[in-house]
Amino acid sequence: MKVTGTALPFLPLYRRLLPSRLAGLSLALLKATALELAILAGHLLLYPSGITQERRTTPALPSPDTTQLPTETSPPVVLLHGFIDNRSVFVLLRRNLAQHGRHQVESLNYSPLTCDIRTAAELLGRHIEGICERTGSRQVDVVGHSLGGLIARYYVQRLGGDHRVRTLVTLGTPHSGTSVAPLANAHPIVRQMRPGSPILEELALPAPGCRTHFVSFWSDLDHLMDPLETACIDHPDLLAQNVRVSGVGHLALPVHPAVATGIRQALDATRTGAETVAQADGMTVA
């Protein structure tokens, strides 16, 4: 999957000044950084709109005198944001999902003061139970960005959530721990995202019979994943697929339309029993 954009006017000169391989890498990094800054600016504007929890609604029942053709329904989608963030990060993804038939989409805000992944996972579990009760659905799909993916994975693996979560899609989630920004260790939940933390050791324990299908999107330009491959899921008991994204950074993963297409493919692949996601397990955003 490849998305191309218009070239910048200074690129020919830029390519002449640097060796071709270095220029290509630096150009990709430059474009990804510029996109990250633009997304950050836009997200700061939207952030206040996502501070409060969204209103929960019960889907309207069809009129009894209305004849409807049988349709194959998809489970509700739950969106879970990352560290010091809120549901506003998913504005574009929600719109994309709705445009392609996913009308039951809900976001969960957990407090920025949350200091424990276990506590947040328990909150997620109660939220999912509420969704299933309101919608009559037996299962949900979950999309988690960064820390949100780790919280959802803990719920699935350690709290029995695999009977409720059909598919878990993670975006830039430090499944094996990230070493970036050592000064952030003052926050307890950041320490839980470090390699070798007790939380990550729990997630490395055997998980026989886990029923959830995992799809992890990781970027080769993700500045918050150190090493980059920490955003991949590597567990012998999990049905997991890792999709490499080239050309975007951490903040762009829940925003970029090409990634949104990959997310829809991941959710639809589980429903149809397909074995491939995002052709050749990768996508290039240029």
Side-chain angles (χ1 to χ4, degrees):
M1 181 182 302
K2 186 171 183 178
V3 179
T4 59
T6 57
L8 300 175
F10 57 82
L11 293 189
L13 175 62
Y14 183 81
R15 291 193 176 99
R16 287 198 297 269
L17 293 177
L18 291 175
S20 58
R21 178 176 296 183
L22 180 60
L25 176 61
S26 300
L27 174 59
L29 182 60
L30 178 65
K31 293 173 69 175
T33 302
L35 179 60
E36 290 282 280
L37 292 174
I39 291 172
L40 177 61
H43 187 40
L44 288 176
L45 293 175
L46 290 173
Y47 191 92
S49 67
I51 291 176
T52 59
Q53 294 282 9
E54 66 182 359
R55 296 182 60 185
R56 312 301 181 197
T57 59
T58 302
L61 296 175
S63 174
D65 58 352
T66 301
T67 301
Q68 292 187 338
L69 294 176
T71 58
E72 185 176 9
T73 59
S74 299
V77 180
V78 181
L79 306 176
L80 197 59
H81 62 80
F83 181 56
I84 314 180
D85 209 340
N86 63 38
R87 61 187 175 86
S88 63
V89 71
F90 293 118
V91 167
L92 296 181
L93 179 58
R94 292 187 67 144
R95 182 179 304 169
N96 189 294
L97 292 172
Q99 289 173 344
H100 291 83
R102 293 277 183 156
H103 301 298
Q104 293 184 19
V105 181
E106 293 193 14
S107 299
L108 171 64
N109 274 2
Y110 55 90
S111 170
L113 301 178
T114 299
C115 293
D116 184 54
I117 287 175
R118 301 176 186 88
T119 301
E122 292 172 358
L123 173 63
L124 174 63
R126 293 194 297 270
H127 181 71
I128 289 175
E129 290 298 325
I131 291 176
C132 291
E133 182 178 351
R134 279 186 283 107
T135 64
S137 179
R138 187 176 62 86
Q139 290 184 306
V140 301
D141 291 330
V142 178
V143 179
H145 179 225
S146 195
L147 172 61
L150 208 57
I151 292 170
R153 181 179 170 187
Y154 191 90
Y155 165 65
V156 166
Q157 274 188 246
R158 305 298 296 170
L159 301 180
D162 62 313
H163 78 291
R164 284 299 192 195
V165 179
R166 187 193 65 157
T167 306
L168 171 56
V169 176
T170 66
L171 310 172
T173 292
H175 290 287
S176 300
T178 178
S179 301
V180 76
L183 295 180
N185 281 346
H187 198 293
I189 212 165
V190 172
R191 294 197 296 270
Q192 291 184 335
M193 291 189 285
R194 297 306 192 195
S197 73
I199 281 284
L200 296 183
E201 289 179 353
E202 284 188 57
L203 292 177
L205 292 174
C210 184
R211 291 160 284 189
T212 298
H213 178 214
F214 295 81
V215 181
S216 176
F217 288 81
W218 67 283
S219 172
D220 56 6
L221 294 177
D222 191 330
H223 59 287
L224 292 183
M225 297 297 106
D226 181 21
L228 292 172
E229 291 79 8
T230 189
C232 297
I233 296 178
D234 183 14
H235 193 294
D237 294 332
L238 301 183
L239 177 61
Q241 187 168 11
N242 298 303
V243 181
R244 174 174 174 168
V245 182
S246 299
V248 300
H250 189 78
L251 297 179
L253 286 170
V255 174
H256 202 286
V259 180
T261 298
I263 293 171
R264 295 199 321 271
Q265 289 177 351
L267 300 181
D268 291 342
T270 306
R271 175 171 56 83
T272 60
E275 296 182 355
T276 58
V277 176
Q279 299 177 5
D281 286 354
M283 60 177 66
T284 300
V285 178

